[in-house]
């Protein structure tokens, strides 16, 4: 968990310019971390590259929080 | 002038084997860019464009693809990224005509023109967005037409596509502005190319009378507007359509 979580956290911090402490598992990208829809698309693209997997548009739409992304990556990587 | 310099930039021009597309490809190379030359059928003509770019001391590569097919456009962009390492400028120029009066126009004639001239632009924007978003810069220039603004009898399909390009340009400009990608259009008037050479002499003569500047334009005059939109000189402009038509539309 921790390794994936740390890598996701690093990318979210870089991409959205938020504080590390804000990137909790429950944090919602749009509501808590100030991401707009383009930011989310970009995050997905970057996570795909980082973890070398493909997140379908359908799945990407369902992911709203940091924890959900981490779970998704762990179950698909 | 440094503002117009494209040294170190890379570009992809669709429909660059002949006409306006070739003039654009050569103008970008003259300004210092390496250029990927897309063509659909005219391989020999595309090779001529490549030669003209290489004669300017720039790199050129020719890639065959039907821009109306999303997968072909994506493969083409992947090939450009592999060859040049990045893509800074996309010029969506490829276009076809299937002129007919609405009453006689076949469904295929309508669909073919929409697929190449409108969907082809969408495919292009979509295919380059990922890499341009990542590098936080990019220039997309779409070639519309004066008839997209004025309408033209016998060209309902072409006009619908070219007017569509203007709306598509504005939407893409709004979506991508926050990533420093500008999206603009150029709407040429009547320009001397193979496409307009097909017109009968009397039609051309009448056309020239309707052009305030009194003559048909040259491909290089369109290329100059594209160069402006591809360069730093236009850094504060997005979502616009430049009408380069001798004053036909104003």
């Amino acid at each position: 968990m921790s390794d994936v979580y740390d890598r996701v956290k690093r990318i979210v911090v870089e991409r959205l310019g938020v504080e590390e402490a804000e990137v909790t598992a429950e944090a919602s990208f749009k509501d808590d971390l100030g991401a707009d829809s383009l930011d989310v698309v970009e995050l997905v693209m970057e996570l795909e590259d980082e973890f070398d997997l493909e997140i379908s548009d359908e799945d990407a739409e369902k992911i709203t929080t940091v924890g959900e992304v981490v779970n998704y990556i762990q179950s698909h990587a | 002038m440094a503002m117009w310099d494209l040294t170190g930039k890379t570009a992809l021009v669709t429909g660059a084997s002949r006409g306006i597309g070739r003039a654009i490809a050569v103008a970008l190379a003259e300004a210092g860019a390496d250029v990927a030359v897309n063509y659909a059928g005219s391989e020999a003509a595309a090779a001529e464009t490549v030669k003209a770019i290489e004669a300017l001391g720039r790199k050129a590569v020719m890639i065959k693809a039907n821009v109306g097919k999303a997968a072909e456009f994506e493969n083409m962009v992947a090939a450009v990224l592999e060859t040049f390492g990045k893509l800074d400028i996309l010029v969506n120029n490829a276009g076809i005509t299937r002129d007919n009066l609405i009453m006689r126009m076949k469904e295929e004639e309508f669909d073919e023109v929409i697929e190449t001239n409108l969907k082809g632009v969408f495919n292009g924007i979509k295919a380059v967005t990922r890499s341009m978003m990542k590098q936080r810069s990019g220039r997309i220039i779409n070639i519309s037409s004066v008839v997209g603004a004025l309408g033209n009898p016998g060209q309902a399909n072409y006009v619908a596509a070219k007017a569509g390009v203007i709306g598509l340009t504005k939407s893409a400009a709004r979506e991508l502005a926050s990533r420093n990608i500008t999206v603009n259009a150029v709407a040429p008037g009547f320009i001397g190319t193979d496409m307009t050479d097909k017109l009968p002499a009397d039609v051309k003569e009448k056309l020239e009378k309707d052009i305030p500047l009194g003559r048909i334009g040259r491909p290089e005059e369109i290329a100059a507007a594209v160069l402006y939109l591809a360069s730093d000189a236009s850094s504060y402009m997005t979502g616009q359509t430049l009408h380069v038509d001798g004053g036909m539309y104003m």
Side-chain angles (χ1 to χ4, degrees), chain A residues 15 38-39 42 49, chain B residues 130 133-134 136 175 179:
Chain A
R15 189 44 80 203
L38 202 57
D39 289 323
E42 269 193 311
D49 289 346
Chain B
R130 191 181 179 117
M133 271 170 73
K134 278 200 166 173
R136 284 287 189 275
E175 279 190 25
R179 300 307 189 265

Side-chain angles (χ1 to χ4, degrees), chain B residues 196-208 216:
Chain B
T196 49
D197 282 349
K198 280 186 262 174
L199 298 169
D202 57 321
V203 174
K204 265 198 222 167
E205 217 167 279
K206 191 184 167 295
L207 267 173
E208 282 177 341
I216 288 175

Side-chain angles (χ1 to χ4, degrees), chain A:
Chain A
M1 167 83 187
S2 66
D3 175 46
V4 172
Y5 184 60
D6 285 346
R7 284 158 75 189
V8 169
K9 198 194 256 185
R10 178 175 53 75
I11 287 172
V12 171
V13 165
E14 261 172 37
R15 189 44 80 203
L16 301 180
V18 291
E19 295 297 323
E20 233 183 282
E22 294 176 77
V23 190
T24 60
E26 297 76 34
S28 153
F29 291 112
K30 284 189 177 166
D31 298 335
D32 300 321
L33 301 175
D36 63 19
S37 39
L38 202 57
D39 289 323
V40 174
V41 173
E42 269 193 311
L43 264 177
V44 167
M45 281 171 15
E46 207 156 333
L47 291 167
E48 285 178 336
D49 289 346
E50 171 79 18
F51 294 97
D52 196 25
L53 51 82
E54 220 163 278
I55 305 174
S56 71
D57 290 347
E58 252 182 3
D59 287 342
E61 272 170 33
K62 287 184 221 140
I63 296 170
T64 60
T65 68
V66 175
E68 283 166 7
V69 159
V70 173
N71 284 338
Y72 183 91
I73 293 166
Q74 281 174 334
S75 55
H76 288 80

Side-chain angles (χ1 to χ4, degrees), chain B residues 18-27 93 143 186 188-197 215-227 244:
Chain B
R18 291 176 294 155
I20 292 174
R22 176 187 284 179
I24 291 168
V26 171
N93 164 78
I143 305 302
V186 173
F190 282 92
I191 306 299
T193 66
D194 292 351
M195 197 185 268
T196 49
D197 282 349
R215 63 173 175 85
I216 288 175
R218 297 189 306 272
E220 294 72 25
E221 292 174 312
I222 303 307
V226 173
L227 174 59
V244 186

